[in-house]
Amino acid sequence: MSDIADRVKKIVVEHLGVEEDKVTETASFIDDLGADSLDTVELVMAFEEEFGIEIPDDAAETIQTFGDAVKFISEAV
Amino acid sequence: MFDLTGKSALVTGASGGIGGAIAKALHGAGAKVALSGTRVEPLEALAAELGEGAYVCPANLSDADSVEALPKAAVAAMGSLDILVNNAGITRDNLFMRMSDEEWQSVLDVNLTSAFRLMRGSLRGMMKARWGRIVSVSSIVGATGNPGQGNYAAAKAGLVGMSKSLAYEVASRGITVNCVAPGFIATAMTEKLNDEQKGKILGQIPAGRMGSAEEIAAAVLYLASPEAGYVTGATLHVNGGMAMI
């Protein structure tokens, strides 16, 4: 697994308090990992800080799964 | 009780009577305070009076860029922003049928839209800290209406609805969002009233007197305190019984 995916996973595990093996490529933050809408905003904020990037609101809306997040961030950094 | 040591507060409209009293109360409870307003001179005089832990952050709340920059300036000055007090307000009174779009818009911009932007700009730090206090100074007329103040009453009622909505969203993050609604408060503005006008107003106040800026500041201090952590989405009316709502 790439370094970016590791760092994203760490943030998701810490923030949502879920088991690491639940955070799979297709795991939806809301449907599978128990996030509410405010959690997703906070995750995006945490990604922005960890990777020093800006994630605009319309892009943030497309980040639904762990895989989406890794893909978006890999392209943005 | 009500110890704010280690907390940082931003107070808008701190050059006015109520805003100044709020800044003094929060500072007196141990908070660092960023004093905001358009007129720099009274802000600097107040900062000098308060001494250590008081910072001047001028801003023009009718200008969007100036508003966006204000929470950042407050964080730069104080290191964090834990307490936001939306106190600044203007009036442009006119009878409804004569009210211009400009009179309407300027009051909505300063009294409501700037509060929205300041809240939005303050939330990130509060969310991360899992602690925050937002207190907006509404008005009795936001609940009762007042002839000649359609714009002002709309903005003040708007603060209440906006605060309740945000209170829902961030309650689970340790952030409370409340309003204080003053009645008639003795300030430079009310000193201009003649005896007949004053008598008329006092006749409607069961307490038989106008309130003081310090009595509004005390309500804000309570809502900003750790002890008020279970109070959110509320409006605390401080009006001598003028409207019991």
Side-chain angles (χ1 to χ4, degrees):
Chain A
M1 189 176 275
S2 72
D3 167 57
I4 286 175
D6 281 343
R7 286 157 71 191
V8 171
K9 183 174 276 190
K10 188 162 176 285
I11 290 170
V12 173
V13 166
E14 274 176 15
H15 191 87
L16 300 179
V18 292
E19 298 293 329
E20 207 176 310
D21 56 11
K22 294 262 195 303
V23 187
T24 59
E25 181 80 15
T26 56
S28 156
F29 294 125
I30 290 176
D31 295 334
D32 301 318
L33 301 176
D36 64 20
S37 56
L38 196 55
D39 286 318
T40 62
V41 174
E42 288 188 300
L43 281 174
V44 166
M45 276 164 42
F47 297 152
E48 287 180 331
E49 278 179 29
E50 172 73 18
F51 296 98
I53 55 174
E54 282 245 357
I55 304 178
D57 288 344
D58 52 349
E61 280 170 21
T62 67
I63 300 176
Q64 304 281 339
T65 66
F66 173 67
D68 292 340
V70 173
K71 181 165 177 284
F72 181 89
I73 293 163
S74 302
E75 285 164 7
V77 290
Chain B
M1 293 274 270
F2 312 148
D3 181 11
L4 298 180
T5 305
K7 304 296 185 194
S8 299
L10 168 61
V11 180
T12 66
S15 51
I18 293 177
I22 292 169
K24 280 182 201 171
L26 299 179
H27 188 264
K32 291 187 211 171
V33 287
L35 312 169
S36 188
T38 42
R39 292 170 294 145
V40 177
E41 221 167 85
L43 295 176
E44 279 178 348
L46 178 58
E49 187 189 330
L50 294 177
E52 203 178 316
Y55 309 86
V56 174
C57 294
N60 174 4
L61 296 188
S62 57
D63 177 73
D65 292 338
S66 182
V67 176
E68 297 285 350
L70 182 53
K72 291 174 189 141
V75 170
M78 300 186 292
S80 66
L81 177 51
D82 311 296
I83 301 163
L84 169 65
V85 182
N86 290 310
N87 165 73
I90 60 167
T91 55
R92 295 283 183 274
D93 297 356
N94 210 342
L95 288 176
F96 216 98
M97 291 181 71
R98 297 196 183 283
M99 186 169 288
S100 68
D101 284 359
E102 195 278 331
E103 285 166 338
W104 169 266
Q105 196 60 49
S106 60
V107 167
L108 268 289
D109 282 349
V110 173
N111 296 11
L112 184 61
T113 306
S114 79
F116 156 68
R117 291 199 171 108
L118 292 175
M119 287 166 160
R120 188 178 56 183
S122 306
L123 280 169
R124 182 180 281 241
M126 292 178 185
M127 298 254 285
K128 284 180 74 178
R130 290 288 189 268
W131 199 93
R133 295 283 183 270
I134 297 174
V135 183
S136 296
V137 177
S138 178
S139 166
I140 185 173
V141 308
T144 63
N146 200 28
Q149 292 200 306
N151 49 3
Y152 187 76
K156 293 301 188 181
L159 285 173
V160 172
M162 178 167 72
S163 296
K164 288 178 179 176
S165 303
L166 178 58
Y168 267 109
E169 292 186 19
V170 297
S172 64
R173 296 334 193 240
I175 303 168
T176 68
V177 190
N178 293 289
C179 291
V180 170
F184 271 96
I185 305 303
T187 61
M189 195 173 74
T190 50
E191 267 169 36
K192 286 181 205 153
L193 301 171
N194 63 34
D195 284 350
E196 194 196 334
Q197 288 171 316
K198 274 187 191 166
K200 245 185 183 170
I201 291 167
L202 292 179
Q204 299 168 27
I205 305 174
R209 63 173 179 87
M210 292 195 187
S212 69
E214 288 71 25
E215 287 169 322
I216 302 306
V220 174
L221 171 60
Y222 167 62
L223 292 172
S225 72
E227 283 80 359
Y230 202 53
V231 180
T232 195
T235 299
L236 182 46
H237 289 272
V238 183
N239 61 30
M242 191 176 180
M244 302 190 194
I245 37 185

